Amino acid sequence: MSLTLGQTLPDFTAEATSDQQVSLSALKGKKVVLYFYPKDSTPGCTNQGGDFRDLYKDFQAANTLVFGISRDGLRSHENFKAKQSFPFELISDKDEALCKLFDVLKLKKMFGKEHLGIERSTFLIDEEGKLAQEWRKVKVPGHVQEVLEAAQALA
């Protein structure tokens, strides 16, 4: 399934850190940032999460919730979140349902071998649950600031 800008996203419920169940329908009235990243505690993912952490108050001021998503399990997520002092929840997508919904699983090459991995991607959802903006093949430097500005512009 491919998502288009302005499309109302299908509801989903996913397990997150802090024993939370995150449902898109329960978040209506707030903007939501979903950022998909390859793996907990790797350098790029740590930097990206740190940028979201450092600008988190600005996201809150823009009525925007932030969730990080990867295929790591909840225990790994809890450790990563605690170690990096992330003020937002991390969603575990072990069954890849969200990865497939947002079409972020791509064939990647590492050490000459191909594997299916998460392409670093970010999605901004408006207060009505519609896809407002998407960023694919994200490069970490400056990205979170760009997402914040897009969320603020939606006000």
Side-chain angles (χ1 to χ4, degrees), residues 26-38:
L27 305 175
K28 284 226 167 90
K30 292 202 178 281
K31 289 171 271 193
V32 178
V33 169
L34 299 177
Y35 79 92
F36 288 82
Y37 63 94

Side-chain angles (χ1 to χ4, degrees), residues 17-18 37 40-41 53 74-90:
T17 46
S18 307
Y37 63 94
D40 288 345
S41 303
R53 176 195 61 217
L74 286 173
R75 185 178 308 153
S76 173
H77 273 357
E78 292 287 3
N79 291 338
F80 186 38
K81 182 183 170 206
K83 197 164 148 193
Q84 301 303 327
S85 306
F86 292 156
F88 49 85
E89 304 305 331
L90 299 176

Side-chain angles (χ1 to χ4, degrees), residues 104-120:
V104 298
L105 291 175
K106 303 292 175 198
L107 211 52
K108 296 173 146 188
K109 267 198 165 106
M110 189 183 253
F111 308 120
K113 289 192 163 98
E114 289 191 334
H115 71 283
L116 211 53
I118 292 180
E119 177 181 81
R120 196 180 301 279

Side-chain angles (χ1 to χ4, degrees), residues 22 42-43 47 62 113 139 148:
V22 176
T42 55
N47 289 342
K113 289 192 163 98
K139 300 282 180 258
L148 174 62

Side-chain angles (χ1 to χ4, degrees), residues 3 70 115 129 139 146 153:
L3 302 170
S70 81
H115 71 283
K139 300 282 180 258
E146 196 182 322

Side-chain angles (χ1 to χ4, degrees), residues 49-131:
D51 289 348
F52 275 110
R53 176 195 61 217
D54 296 346
L55 291 173
Y56 188 69
K57 283 188 171 56
D58 297 318
F59 279 101
Q60 284 184 304
N63 192 34
T64 306
L65 299 170
V66 174
F67 296 95
I69 305 173
S70 81
R71 297 182 295 183
D72 294 299
L74 286 173
R75 185 178 308 153
S76 173
H77 273 357
E78 292 287 3
N79 291 338
F80 186 38
K81 182 183 170 206
K83 197 164 148 193
Q84 301 303 327
S85 306
F86 292 156
F88 49 85
E89 304 305 331
L90 299 176
I91 293 173
S92 173
D93 192 32
K94 268 181 142 21
D95 65 0
E96 301 178 347
L98 292 178
C99 288
K100 288 176 179 145
L101 173 63
F102 287 91
D103 190 29
V104 298
L105 291 175
K106 303 292 175 198
L107 211 52
K108 296 173 146 188
K109 267 198 165 106
M110 189 183 253
F111 308 120
K113 289 192 163 98
E114 289 191 334
H115 71 283
L116 211 53
I118 292 180
E119 177 181 81
R120 196 180 301 279
S121 308
T122 303
F123 300 89
L124 176 61
I125 301 162
D126 72 12
E127 290 96 337
E128 271 104 61
K130 292 188 173 113
L131 184 59

